[in-house]
Amino acid sequence: MAVDIDLIRAYTDGGVYTHDRTTPGTITAPTNATTALAAGFLAVGAISSDGITEATSQDRTDIFIWQGNALARRIPGQFTKTFTFAAAETNLMTLGLQFPGSTITRTAEGATVAEKPPATDVRAWVLHGTDGTDRVQRIYLPKAEITERGEVVWSAENVTVYEWTLSAYVDNSGVVAYRYYADEDLKTP
């Protein structure tokens, strides 16, 4: 097999977007990699240099038969799709995501948070990555929720980040993620 280094991708820039759940109306889902996102989608802000980590996990149940005690089948079981990233900005969006269900109020000097235990916060998300100027990958998660929150560290050596793991849920069509690629090498001939 020949190696083609033009097919190697490095999504080194992009953004993470979601919508304000308190705003009434329907969020319009993206249908390609390059059209501007609907007005309801808002940027989370700066993401740490670690970028976004995608993980897929699926359990399997091994079925063995008596003859030779041999493996006969591996039945697919529970499936999870997660995306982990760290938001490096403290803004009203990140505070709302860090403290879902809490009361966040803008004040004359900044904001206050009356923190409550996290509430369920399922919403749509868009993860957008770019490789140079002409290669784009966009992942639309119609239903996802921050299910893990990392430690928030105050340090003299680093910036404070909010590390989150998004768990993607299936939509009404059974889809967890819609992926769109704008890439000359993938286009129809």
Side-chain angles (χ1 to χ4, degrees), residues 7-57:
L7 298 178
I8 297 172
R9 301 291 174 262
Y11 297 105
T12 58
D13 198 2
V16 175
Y17 305 86
T18 190
H19 56 92
D20 182 355
R21 290 190 58 231
T22 62
T23 303
T26 303
I27 295 299
T28 303
T31 57
N32 62 44
T34 57
T35 301
L37 292 174
F41 281 104
L42 305 169
V44 170
I47 304 301
S48 74
S49 63
D50 292 334
I52 301 169
T53 301
E54 177 180 349
T56 303
S57 174

Side-chain angles (χ1 to χ4, degrees), residues 62-134:
D62 291 344
I63 305 298
F64 292 88
I65 58 174
W66 175 62
Q67 293 85 352
N69 199 25
L71 179 64
R73 292 275 311 265
R74 296 197 87 201
I75 299 172
Q78 296 176 338
F79 168 85
T80 58
K81 170 70 72 178
T82 61
F83 298 86
T84 302
F85 62 93
E89 288 185 24
T90 298
N91 55 42
L92 292 176
M93 171 64 81
T94 57
L95 291 175
L97 294 169
Q98 182 69 14
F99 307 109
S102 297
T103 304
I104 301 169
T105 308
R106 292 182 91 161
T107 67
E109 64 180 11
T112 63
V113 178
E115 185 178 353
K116 297 178 183 174
T120 299
D121 188 14
V122 179
R123 58 174 75 201
W125 291 78
V126 173
L127 311 172
H128 188 87
T130 60
D131 177 0
T133 58
D134 58 348

